[in-house]
Amino acid sequence: RFSAAISISPVSDESGEVLRHFLSFVDLTEHCEWLRKERLALHNLYQNTPGFIAIAEGPDHLFSFANAAHQQLVGDRQIVGGTAAEVLPELIEQGLVQRMDEVFATGIPYFAKMTPLRLQRRPDAEWELRFVDVALQPTRNDQMEITGIVWQGSDVTDHKRTLQRLMSCQTELIHISRVCAMGTMAATLATA
């Protein structure tokens, strides 16, 4: 058993009558094995990438791949084999499914930084507000027709919260500095 490319071509005489057929077999077993190994290597690379990656096929955005980081972002749900609207219904009201529709229809990628995303990571869990940097890129076939979307990005929630704490500390420090300055002025005026 092997993989092969088969070509059958008619051999004709000068009048166009088919005299015989030329049959050609090319063994593709090694090529197919190489492609399988390359695909597995890419799958492992994408699976272990720290940023989230998901691949959705067709206009309904049927997920065919979601790496570990994507699974961690969305929680305890079976993503692969479901459409974006089915497995992540909260994305409909938040406009992300509409963005996917636009990218699929136009071929124009979508990029957003620190986008708020409300997710319920388990059916019985509280809703969580996460912040993500996200890119939606169209995928194309050999005829350059759009076939799907690659959804990739990073969960930047911890970074966003750190920035918010830093800004809060800066505001508090400015307030303390003003209070200290007013106390110093009051003390100066009292001794004068």
Side-chain angles (χ1 to χ4, degrees):
R1 186 171 184 173
F2 63 95
S3 298
I6 302 171
S7 173
I8 302 173
S9 303
V11 177
S12 307
D13 62 15
E14 293 84 30
S15 67
E17 183 179 336
V18 175
L19 301 174
R20 59 184 62 89
H21 288 86
F22 177 76
L23 183 62
S24 167
F25 285 92
V26 177
D27 185 352
L28 297 177
T29 305
E30 285 183 29
H31 181 71
C32 289
E33 181 61 20
W34 178 82
L35 286 175
R36 189 190 67 75
K37 286 179 182 177
E38 285 295 307
R39 183 180 173 128
L40 182 60
L42 282 174
H43 182 276
N44 289 336
L45 175 70
Y46 291 156
Q47 186 63 28
N48 297 311
T49 298
F52 60 80
I53 299 173
I55 299 172
E57 306 290 336
D60 293 332
H61 317 301
L62 181 69
F63 285 111
S64 60
F65 176 81
N67 72 348
H70 187 275
Q71 198 63 48
Q72 183 178 0
L73 175 68
V74 299
D76 297 338
R77 321 179 198 207
Q78 177 60 38
I79 299 296
V80 175
T83 66
E86 291 170 344
V87 298
L88 299 166
E90 62 267 35
L91 299 185
I92 296 170
E93 68 186 47
Q94 296 178 65
L96 201 52
V97 172
Q98 180 183 350
R99 294 282 186 208
M100 294 173 80
D101 290 341
E102 290 168 6
V103 171
F104 190 86
T106 65
I108 300 169
Y110 170 77
F111 303 97
K113 292 237 177 234
M114 288 202 187
T115 301
L117 190 62
R118 285 189 34 191
L119 294 168
Q120 188 177 23
R121 296 169 70 176
R122 288 189 322 273
D124 58 341
E126 295 287 324
W127 286 89
E128 290 183 41
L129 180 61
R130 309 297 296 175
F131 293 90
V132 295
D133 290 347
V134 66
L136 302 174
Q137 300 270 9
T139 58
R140 299 177 185 271
N141 62 17
D142 293 342
Q143 290 78 39
M144 298 305 293
E145 299 165 329
I146 298 170
T147 58
I149 294 173
V150 175
W151 181 15
Q152 59 191 5
S154 300
D155 184 346
V156 294
T157 304
D158 292 339
H159 179 69
K160 173 77 171 177
R161 290 184 180 148
T162 300
L163 287 175
Q164 287 172 333
R165 283 193 301 270
L166 180 61
M167 288 173 56
S168 177
C169 288
Q170 286 175 335
T171 302
E172 188 176 333
L173 183 59
I174 290 168
H175 175 71
I176 291 170
S177 295
R178 285 182 183 152
V179 169
C180 287
M182 287 189 335
T184 302
M185 267 200 317
T188 303
L189 290 174
T191 58

